[in-house]
Amino acid sequence: MNAPARATTDEIRRVLDTPRGSRFSHTRTGTRPPTRQQRLLGQMADNPRVAYRQAHGELPHWMKVAARQRTEHERTARQPSEEPPRIPRPRPAPDDGPRPKPPLPPLPRRPRPRPHRPHSHRKPRSRSGWRLVAYALAAATGALAHHLATALL
């Protein structure tokens, strides 16, 4: 149970003891270890499809789609269509078809809501703005009256 922890500690110590430029898998020379795909292809080299892919490379997806479309197009081009071409129907005249229905009469108007009732489900607006204006106007009038009273007396 102690051995796996010891092995990982030794691996970490080995990586940390290496010089700064070569601690990780990429080096300054550009050589990299093989990827998982490259390792698997190396193991499957005796497979004929894998050997062909390694020799010629893998085709891009668009080339596979283009080849499939080309074969479908050739198949449809070889088979002549047996049905005659369709001729479009003539356009209908303005007086063809059922007579249009007359428009419906307008709906009756709804009664106006009472003024004290709020128009939505939200809390009604406070009237503190008007109270503030009235208080300021009363204070200004009182100040003016006091000034005039002291000036005249």
Side-chain angles (χ1 to χ4, degrees), residues 2-137:
N2 194 11
R6 178 82 176 152
T8 56
T9 307
D10 291 340
E11 291 172 5
I12 293 172
R13 178 55 43 206
R14 183 175 43 84
V15 168
L16 291 175
D17 287 342
T18 57
R20 183 165 173 75
S22 59
R23 281 187 183 172
F24 301 105
S25 60
H26 64 277
T27 61
R28 293 181 186 191
T29 60
T31 57
R32 292 190 173 118
T35 62
R36 180 178 182 272
Q37 183 180 12
Q38 291 170 344
R39 286 194 314 267
L40 290 175
L41 287 174
Q43 292 173 2
M44 299 169 39
D46 56 338
N47 187 332
R49 287 187 179 180
V50 175
Y52 181 84
R53 181 176 168 190
Q54 285 180 332
H56 301 286
E58 185 179 2
L59 289 177
H61 179 69
W62 67 267
M63 291 183 77
K64 295 175 186 175
V65 171
R68 187 180 333 118
Q69 288 175 350
R70 194 177 317 114
T71 56
E72 289 176 4
H73 179 67
E74 290 172 359
R75 189 176 341 122
T76 57
R78 279 186 249 144
Q79 298 173 352
S81 61
E82 297 163 359
E83 60 186 48
R86 298 189 65 152
I87 300 172
R89 293 180 49 138
R91 289 183 292 170
D95 58 349
D96 284 352
R99 187 171 289 197
K101 295 180 181 178
L104 296 174
L107 295 173
R109 292 183 55 88
R110 294 177 62 190
R112 294 187 66 149
R114 288 181 272 166
H116 69 278
R117 189 171 164 198
H119 294 283
S120 69
H121 66 281
R122 299 175 188 257
K123 182 180 175 184
R125 285 191 237 164
S126 65
R127 309 252 183 225
S128 63
W130 288 112
R131 288 184 187 142
L132 182 63
V133 168
Y135 181 76
L137 189 61

